[in-house]
Amino acid sequence: MRIRRTAARSALLLLSGLAVACLPPWGAALAEEDRGGVKVTFLANEGVLLEADGEAVMIDGFVTEPYSEYGALPDETAAALAGTQAGDGRFDSVVLALVSHVHRDHFQPEPAAIFLRGHPDAQLVSSPQVLAALAGDGEFANARSLLPKPGETEKLRQGKIEVEILRLRHGGRAWGEIENLGHLIHLGGQTILHIGDADTAAGNFAAYDLASREIDLALIPYWFFWPEGGRQTVKNHLVGRYTAAVHIPPKDFDEIAKALAKSHPNVRVPKVLESFELE
């Protein structure tokens, strides 16, 4: 979703007066049961790499060129994704690549095509719109589309990774025809929620009863924490054990991170390539 930076800055002035969200502090003591573990690495915009038990799933990771005000993978990381960085196999464990929607700050078909050709055992799964964009770079046996009906889910399994795909309306009237997917990813004993550029309205999530799903990490676009955004939606539908604010324009990162530190101090604001262990 493209957000005007002037609107972002005006919202920042209001964020400082928000009440602190009732979320668990990052790094707080966990429950006693064995949850396993997942290495989480943040990529560009809403991109994330999740690794556990020798397998990885990547979401919205095929972004190697900046688009609008949004960023891209650093050159060295983009080279590793393409397989041209000698000795750098950080993406070799990816068995599943997911894409929330077709906008170029989430998906660029050129790096996706290079990756799929170099990793024939990995699968890309996304919407028909994403697959249509990818088709311009050739045919791929390791790419397929899944599009649940609104309010329903589609499930898939790749290796040890299980995914529930949600159909979530894209935010903004101009993007009403965009097929936006949310994902509940289950791996390493953890459940991670990724919602793409979902509309902030609570009704967009109500059918999925996410509040009862014991989400370990919720990845939420930063504008959900604006006063006029989706704060109540986050509180009522999207809270995980831990929450991270994502999709921050690079030029506004410091300002937004500072504002969120005041209004939502328990929400992580990760930088590109920041990693941590979710246990």
Side-chain angles (χ1 to χ4, degrees):
M1 175 184 288
R2 291 187 286 181
I3 305 295
R4 291 183 182 271
R5 291 180 60 205
T6 53
R9 286 175 175 169
S10 65
L12 289 173
L13 298 176
L14 296 173
L15 271 170
S16 60
L18 297 179
V20 173
C22 297
L23 299 172
W26 199 266
L30 304 178
E32 291 298 324
E33 72 265 20
D34 180 15
R35 293 179 178 270
V38 176
K39 181 181 179 182
V40 180
T41 301
F42 294 95
L43 306 176
N45 307 325
E46 281 191 47
V48 65
L49 180 69
L50 308 171
E51 303 171 83
D53 302 323
E55 296 181 342
V57 55
M58 182 172 65
I59 313 168
D60 286 0
F62 297 120
V63 180
T64 59
E65 296 182 359
Y67 176 73
S68 186
E69 68 263 45
Y70 294 110
L73 292 174
D75 290 344
E76 182 179 328
T77 308
L81 183 65
T84 58
Q85 183 78 10
D88 192 330
R90 74 183 84 175
F91 295 102
D92 287 350
S93 61
V94 173
V95 298
L96 182 62
L98 304 170
V99 179
S100 64
H101 64 289
V102 74
H103 283 160
R104 285 188 68 86
D105 49 337
H106 294 258
F107 175 72
Q108 295 171 7
E110 302 87 351
I114 293 170
F115 178 84
L116 292 173
R117 291 191 183 101
H119 298 79
D121 293 330
Q123 291 285 321
L124 183 149
V125 181
S126 190
S127 68
Q129 289 177 347
V130 167
L131 269 289
L134 179 64
D137 285 86
E139 296 184 3
F140 300 89
N142 52 341
R144 64 187 177 109
S145 64
L146 280 178
L147 185 67
K149 295 178 180 179
E152 298 183 4
T153 65
E154 293 278 358
K155 296 184 179 180
L156 66 98
R157 183 183 181 99
Q158 183 76 4
K160 302 173 186 176
I161 300 167
E162 297 180 350
V163 181
E164 295 175 72
I165 299 177
L166 320 177
R167 182 76 178 272
L168 299 172
R169 185 176 65 256
H170 194 291
R173 293 182 181 180
W175 311 120
E177 299 302 315
I178 295 296
E179 297 164 347
N180 184 77
L181 304 177
H183 299 91
L184 274 170
I185 302 101
H186 310 280
L187 77 164
Q190 311 287 324
T191 299
I192 294 93
L193 173 66
H194 186 283
I195 63 173
D197 282 352
D199 188 280
T200 59
N204 203 16
F205 303 91
Y208 298 107
D209 192 21
L210 295 173
S212 69
R213 301 301 298 273
E214 298 185 357
I215 294 166
D216 294 292
L217 174 63
L219 304 169
I220 309 298
Y222 77 96
W223 54 83
F224 271 71
F225 302 99
W226 289 356
E228 69 274 26
R231 287 189 295 129
Q232 285 301 117
T233 299
V234 173
K235 180 179 179 180
N236 295 330
H237 296 277
L238 305 177
V239 172
R241 281 198 300 135
Y242 305 114
T243 303
V246 295
H247 212 333
I248 299 175
K251 291 183 178 180
D252 294 327
F253 184 89
D254 290 343
E255 281 187 280
I256 291 173
K258 183 177 180 180
L260 286 173
K262 292 182 178 180
S263 64
H264 295 77
N266 296 324
V267 173
R268 192 180 190 102
V269 185
K271 295 181 178 180
V272 173
L273 299 186
E274 181 178 339
S275 296
F276 71 95
E277 296 290 334
L278 180 64
E279 298 178 340

